[in-house]
Amino acid sequence: MSAVKNVGSRVLFAATGRNYILPAVYSRCSSVWADVPLGPPDAILGITEAFKKDKNPKRINLGVGAYRDDAGKPFILESVKKAERQMIEEGLDHEYAPISGFPAFTEASAKLALGDNSPAVAGGLNATVQGISGTGSLRIGGDFLKRFYTKSHEIYFPTPTWGNHTPIFKDAGLTIKPYRYYDPKTCGFDFNGALEDISKIPEGSIILLHACAHNPTGVDPQPEQWKEISKVVKKRKLYPFFDVAYQGFGSGCIDKDAFGLRHFIADGHTLCLAQSYAKNMGLYGERVGAFTIVCSDKKEQERVMSQLKILIRPIYSNPPIHGAHIVAKVLNQPDLRSIWLKEVKQMADRIITMRTRLRDGLKKEGSSHNWQHITDQIGMFCFTGLKPPQVERLTNEFSVYLTKDGRISVAGLSSNNVDYLASAMHQVTK
Amino acid sequence: MSAVKNVGSRVLFAATGRNYILPAVYSRCSSVWADVPLGPPDAILGITEAFKKDKNPKRINLGVGAYRDDAGKPFILESVKKAERQMIEEGLDHEYAPISGFPAFTEASAKLALGDNSPAVAGGLNATVQGISGTGSLRIGGDFLKRFYTKSHEIYFPTPTWGNHTPIFKDAGLTIKPYRYYDPKTCGFDFNGALEDISKIPEGSIILLHACAHNPTGVDPQPEQWKEISKVVKKRKLYPFFDVAYQGFGSGCIDKDAFGLRHFIADGHTLCLAQSYAKNMGLYGERVGAFTIVCSDKKEQERVMSQLKILIRPIYSNPPIHGAHIVAKVLNQPDLRSIWLKEVKQMADRIITMRTRLRDGLKKEGSSHNWQHITDQIGMFCFTGLKPPQVERLTNEFSVYLTKDGRISVAAWLFSEKTRGIVIASSSSSVCRSRRA
């Protein structure tokens, strides 16, 4: 801690061992920020920070859900590279997008989620805006619901859910409540528990549903189970909010991953959804996503759009263009789209392969536990079932970085490290 | 308005003249969004929407502050192009930036505003995060002040100020109050009025200051006036929030445009600031900006940074990388930086040239009004002094699009000057003349 002395109207600042003459600043006692507490690092993104500081050559980062290829490198999709090359050739400018984003992007995005032949999209019923990846799209939704969804300010989350859902909707001003979802006994879907809890949710409440590849558990409802969930949600007149962060990444198939969402639409729900292109197009830091409210008619869509824009303008005015151009090209050009669909399947398949190898590896190590769930679960993440003390050991003794809840990013596994992980996991669980 | 009929559990939708069979949706009476009112288009961005719908070939868009070259095209800076070419050659990936943005970007950004030799930056006292251009940076600031600035939740705005300041800080939860700034009689700075009002602001309040090229008036304090303002702000123990949206765009010189801000720092204020690279690097839609809180010591900087990240993570997790890479390269590579500084000066100089031509054009049209303020004002915008009815006439009769407060984007006028500048001049003149009649 650097010493700061007041010398008349000058302050000698000895932070770096050198004296800087600073003009008089408020002494620390009266500093306006004296009461700002030191907050904890982010539970997920903070893992990467800790990982970077670790000198162990065997370190593995299984914290953030960022896809890696088999060499452990970020994977830049060919479809994305081609789109970017086109953008350079076209000499695109840097002008503002509309507040709601480029139509070429928003329309394609809505169709991706709701289906190419979606009557809602064909009828112009979707109020779709570009959002700042998944987080930004969820937050716009939360803010909008707080402002205009008068039936309820309670949103029900599956237990567990992505860590950031809580502060997103809390800061938006909604109250968070749980419904059962994950069964720790089976490491699978607590179907009966979910239906029971949902059937007791107060009428009109908002219910958050992960469209596919549930984060952090990797546990998804089967199609028949989606149908039952839809019935109960309808009965309670709940407002469904779908988080569509991994479309394509779950099963490898865009349409299969959208089954739950599209069934709800076919079943007559009005709902909203947030999409992300961070994972399924590898566009992470470009921050591309979308938020959609499905409306009853065109006039309503107009009114809702106008209010979405009024909400967005004082947050960030208009969305970042670079990633949006890429996504629009990939979705709208048949050749690029076709390449992309293959690449999404490749990524999903590699993850499934890694799941199998991890499970086999644990067996080979002689683990007596049932690791079935590793291959039953789907998507980027695996809820290992490890408890916090075991997680701590994994990190401190083996330099394996994962979140406290025992979630690992399977996408961070490769031929190089999967066996090391198997042996480390066996060590902390035997 | 499309007819929607409920037919059993199916709905026939006739919006496009075709019948779509939709599954049963809630009838309009019980729709959850039935009470959502139709809101007005954005006062500034809505101008461009209206302009695009106008079929008049003589239409001119002087609404948004977006710089245009002599051919009326968006101007892509050479320094920016070079930076982008490097990025391609390097094969940069799309991985997440840290929540607070790339250090290469945030450090360079803080130095640009506070000065390369800023002791605050050298001492690591700046808590700087990348924000989503100017708007996003202002909003982070507003949210942070609401959460942690306990002395006051009132923020004082110059009158007038950029239209979006109001909803930004309102939605952040602060109460907005005014202080005098623009003198409509002189079309200049109401120095005495400002000092008078500021000297009465309740202690500890937040005060918003435009660092340079005030938007929408183009009226800036002189250096000596900045010094006086600093004294009064200090006396009232106000918390200054600088909006640095046009650094370089005002005078053409980066340091000159930062005079007020840097004087405040030298004068001992703790303050915060929001920066934008939309205009001075032409990066508009890439959404690059930064928010900085200048702290008293390093431990405080740590605490403040931790809370900024906690604030940002549930809004958008981490900032867009593309534009940040560009800015980091331009600011940090001496050759690119040198090109950029010349280009900023070029843009500022051309705006000054256009101001002169507009003023001369009005004189030539025979206008008897005093249009001195057109060249006295600085930066991208000119506060013409036209009243809303005159603005309406300009738009409806001449297809000249500008904001209701009479603000025109001189940068956008560059192109029109060649072929249609006289139209503006004459139309402005005629509406002014008709006002007198």
Side-chain angles (χ1 to χ4, degrees):
Chain A
M1 170 73 238
S2 350
V4 175
K5 292 190 220 165
N6 258 314
V7 180
S9 67
R10 287 160 172 270
V11 170
L12 293 173
F13 187 89
T16 57
R18 294 165 61 183
N19 284 343
Y20 283 106
I21 310 297
L22 282 177
V25 288
Y26 293 117
S27 79
R28 231 179 313 136
C29 315
S30 67
S31 168
V32 297
W33 306 119
D35 297 329
V36 174
L38 182 68
D42 184 79
I44 298 171
L45 302 177
I47 304 284
T48 297
E49 284 181 31
F51 165 82
K52 284 184 182 164
K53 295 181 183 153
D54 192 326
K55 306 290 171 214
N56 184 350
K58 289 194 158 169
R59 62 183 193 175
I60 318 178
N61 186 4
L62 303 178
V64 191
Y67 184 84
R68 295 285 175 262
D69 63 17
D70 208 39
K73 294 272 172 286
F75 174 54
I76 304 176
L77 280 65
E78 189 56 41
S79 48
V80 167
K81 277 190 228 171
K82 282 187 184 309
E84 282 198 292
R85 254 173 258 145
Q86 280 185 18
M87 285 162 64
I88 295 155
E89 281 155 30
E90 288 164 32
L92 289 184
D93 59 40
H94 301 285
E95 296 297 293
Y96 292 127
I99 301 176
S100 49
F102 299 122
F105 166 77
T106 53
E107 280 166 28
S109 196
K111 282 186 179 170
L112 181 68
L114 303 177
D116 279 320
N117 301 316
S118 154
V121 179
L125 302 185
N126 59 303
T128 304
V129 296
Q130 181 182 342
I132 304 186
S133 208
T135 302
S137 305
L138 289 162
R139 180 57 177 269
I140 288 169
D143 285 346
F144 189 89
L145 289 168
K146 177 69 190 337
R147 193 173 276 190
F148 291 109
Y149 187 72
T150 46
K151 292 179 201 265
S152 169
H153 281 158
E154 288 188 351
I155 181 165
Y156 282 74
F157 283 178
T159 306
T161 194
W162 180 43
N164 203 23
H165 278 142
T166 295
I168 287 171
F169 288 97
K170 231 184 199 167
D171 282 8
L174 301 177
T175 307
I176 294 155
K177 298 257 164 96
Y179 63 90
R180 270 174 290 169
Y181 189 84
Y182 177 74
D183 187 348
K185 285 191 252 76
T186 62
C187 293
F189 181 36
D190 184 358
F191 180 49
N192 291 325
L195 286 187
E196 229 184 277
D197 284 0
I198 295 173
S199 68
K200 295 189 186 132
I201 293 176
E203 274 196 21
S205 307
I206 306 153
I207 181 167
L208 183 75
L209 299 146
H210 297 220
C212 66
H214 181 273
N215 180 359
T217 69
V219 160
D220 287 350
Q222 294 301 316
E224 290 314 304
Q225 295 173 322
W226 272 119
K227 293 179 180 174
E228 293 302 312
I229 295 167
S230 175
K231 285 188 195 147
V232 187
V233 168
K234 211 169 179 190
K235 201 160 174 210
R236 303 301 298 152
K237 297 191 173 75
L238 307 181
Y239 186 79
F241 192 146
F242 274 88
D243 186 351
V244 192
Y246 297 98
Q247 191 180 3
F249 234 97
S251 63
C253 168
I254 292 295
D255 297 313
K256 204 165 166 213
D257 283 353
F259 175 85
L261 165 68
R262 294 178 191 176
H263 174 76
F264 265 60
I265 303 248
D267 220 14
H269 295 271
T270 48
L271 50 79
C272 68
L273 59 137
Q275 294 169 272
S276 169
Y277 293 94
K279 317 315 200 269
N280 61 10
M281 283 206 196
L283 289 175
Y284 306 98
E286 305 290 349
R287 316 312 290 131
V288 203
F291 174 69
T292 292
I293 290 179
V294 181
C295 301
S296 321
D297 56 63
K298 274 195 136 176
K299 268 282 194 270
E300 177 172 286
Q301 190 268 4
E302 247 181 82
R303 291 184 281 111
V304 167
M305 272 304 277
S306 75
Q307 294 298 342
L308 280 167
K309 291 193 234 182
I310 286 171
L311 182 83
I312 289 170
R313 174 54 155 152
I315 308 177
Y316 54 84
S317 282
N318 41 67
I321 56 177
H322 190 78
H325 280 313
I326 295 172
V327 175
K329 283 177 175 296
V330 169
L331 292 182
N332 291 323
Q333 290 176 36
D335 55 336
L336 293 187
R337 188 183 180 107
S338 155
I339 297 172
W340 173 59
L341 291 173
K342 290 196 186 77
E343 294 184 292
V344 166
K345 181 146 196 346
Q346 268 173 21
M347 289 193 284
D349 285 349
R350 197 185 83 73
I351 287 175
I352 291 167
T353 304
M354 286 299 111
R355 288 180 178 276
T356 307
R357 285 189 58 174
L358 177 59
R359 196 181 116 190
D360 291 348
L362 281 157
K363 201 170 180 180
K364 226 187 300 178
E365 287 286 324
S367 176
S368 56
H369 295 282
N370 180 2
W371 296 104
Q372 171 95 13
H373 54 281
I374 292 179
T375 41
D376 284 347
Q377 290 167 7
I378 194 174
M380 194 173 263
F381 299 108
C382 168
F383 225 38
T384 56
L386 293 176
K387 304 275 175 286
Q390 295 165 319
V391 171
E392 240 187 279
R393 280 192 65 196
L394 260 188
T395 304
N396 296 339
E397 290 174 35
F398 298 93
S399 292
V400 175
Y401 288 81
L402 64 160
T403 47
K404 271 200 332 252
D405 55 9
R407 178 195 89 163
I408 59 169
S409 169
V410 184
L413 288 177
S414 69
S415 316
N416 294 326
N417 59 25
V418 64
D419 295 330
Y420 176 70
L421 176 64
S423 92
M425 279 175 70
H426 175 58
Q427 290 306 312
V428 305
T429 56
K430 65 180 180 181
Chain B
M1 166 77 238
S2 350
V4 175
K5 292 189 222 162
N6 258 313
V7 179
S9 66
R10 286 161 173 267
V11 172
L12 293 174
F13 188 89
T16 57
R18 295 164 62 183
N19 284 343
Y20 284 104
I21 310 296
L22 282 178
V25 290
Y26 293 117
S27 78
R28 232 180 310 137
C29 316
S30 66
S31 168
V32 298
W33 308 120
D35 297 328
V36 174
L38 182 68
D42 186 78
I44 298 171
L45 302 175
I47 303 286
T48 297
E49 282 177 33
F51 165 81
K52 283 182 181 164
K53 295 185 184 148
D54 192 328
K55 305 291 171 216
N56 183 349
K58 288 188 163 179
R59 63 182 192 175
I60 314 174
N61 186 3
L62 304 179
V64 191
Y67 185 88
R68 295 284 176 264
D69 64 14
D70 233 20
K73 295 273 173 286
F75 175 54
I76 304 176
L77 279 66
E78 189 57 41
S79 49
V80 166
K81 276 190 229 171
K82 282 187 186 307
E84 283 199 291
R85 254 172 258 145
Q86 280 184 20
M87 286 161 64
I88 295 156
E89 280 154 31
E90 289 165 30
L92 289 184
D93 59 40
H94 301 284
E95 295 298 292
Y96 291 126
I99 302 176
S100 50
F102 298 121
F105 166 78
T106 52
E107 281 166 27
S109 196
K111 282 186 178 167
L112 180 68
L114 304 177
D116 279 323
N117 301 316
S118 155
V121 179
L125 302 186
N126 60 303
T128 304
V129 297
Q130 181 182 342
I132 304 186
S133 209
T135 301
S137 306
L138 289 162
R139 180 59 178 269
I140 288 169
D143 286 345
F144 189 88
L145 289 168
K146 177 70 185 345
R147 194 172 276 188
F148 292 109
Y149 187 72
T150 47
K151 292 180 200 266
S152 170
H153 281 158
E154 288 188 352
I155 181 165
Y156 282 75
F157 283 177
T159 306
T161 193
W162 180 44
N164 203 24
H165 278 145
T166 295
I168 288 171
F169 288 98
K170 232 184 199 169
D171 282 9
L174 301 176
T175 307
I176 294 155
K177 298 259 165 94
Y179 61 91
R180 270 175 292 170
Y181 188 83
Y182 177 73
D183 187 349
K185 285 191 252 75
T186 61
C187 293
F189 181 36
D190 184 358
F191 180 49
N192 290 325
L195 286 187
E196 228 184 280
D197 284 0
I198 295 173
S199 68
K200 295 189 186 132
I201 293 177
E203 272 196 24
S205 307
I206 306 153
I207 181 166
L208 182 75
L209 299 145
H210 296 222
C212 66
H214 180 274
N215 181 358
T217 70
V219 161
D220 287 350
Q222 295 300 317
E224 291 313 304
Q225 294 172 322
W226 272 120
K227 293 178 181 174
E228 293 303 310
I229 295 167
S230 175
K231 284 188 196 146
V232 188
V233 168
K234 212 172 180 189
K235 201 161 173 208
R236 303 302 298 154
K237 297 192 174 78
L238 307 181
Y239 187 79
F241 193 146
F242 274 88
D243 186 351
V244 193
Y246 296 98
Q247 190 179 5
F249 232 96
S251 64
C253 167
I254 293 294
D255 297 313
K256 204 162 166 218
D257 283 352
F259 175 84
L261 166 68
R262 293 178 191 176
H263 175 78
F264 265 61
I265 303 246
D267 220 13
H269 295 270
T270 48
L271 50 78
C272 68
L273 59 135
Q275 294 168 273
S276 169
Y277 292 93
K279 318 305 201 280
N280 61 10
M281 282 205 197
L283 290 175
Y284 306 99
E286 305 289 350
R287 318 309 293 131
V288 202
F291 174 69
T292 292
I293 291 179
V294 181
C295 301
S296 320
D297 56 63
K298 274 193 136 178
K299 269 280 195 279
E300 177 171 287
Q301 190 269 3
E302 248 183 81
R303 292 184 281 110
V304 167
M305 271 305 276
S306 75
Q307 294 297 341
L308 280 167
K309 290 192 234 182
I310 286 171
L311 183 83
I312 289 170
R313 173 55 155 151
I315 308 178
Y316 54 84
S317 283
N318 41 70
I321 56 176
H322 192 78
H325 280 310
I326 295 173
V327 175
K329 282 177 176 294
V330 170
L331 292 182
N332 291 322
Q333 289 175 36
D335 54 336
L336 293 187
R337 188 184 180 106
S338 156
I339 297 172
W340 173 60
L341 291 174
K342 290 196 186 74
E343 293 183 294
V344 166
K345 183 150 194 344
Q346 268 174 20
M347 290 193 283
D349 284 348
R350 288 164 73 158
I351 287 176
I352 291 166
T353 306
M354 289 307 112
R355 289 180 176 277
T356 310
R357 287 206 206 156
L358 176 57
R359 198 182 112 191
D360 292 348
L362 282 158
K363 200 172 180 179
K364 226 187 299 178
E365 282 290 316
S367 174
S368 58
H369 294 280
N370 180 2
W371 296 105
Q372 170 92 14
H373 55 281
I374 292 179
T375 40
D376 284 346
Q377 291 167 6
I378 194 173
M380 192 173 262
F381 300 108
C382 169
F383 225 40
T384 55
L386 293 176
K387 304 272 175 290
Q390 295 166 316
V391 170
E392 240 188 279
R393 279 193 64 196
L394 259 189
T395 304
N396 295 340
E397 292 173 35
F398 299 91
S399 291
V400 175
Y401 288 81
L402 63 160
T403 47
K404 264 195 342 246
D405 55 9
R407 179 195 87 164
I408 60 168
S409 168
V410 184
W413 186 74
L414 287 168
F415 165 52
S416 16
E417 190 276 338
K418 280 198 162 152
T419 54
R420 299 194 279 270
I422 306 305
V423 172
I424 301 182
S426 67
S427 52
S428 307
S429 170
S430 79
V431 302
C432 288
R433 246 179 288 147
S434 65
R435 175 174 61 115
R436 268 199 319 150

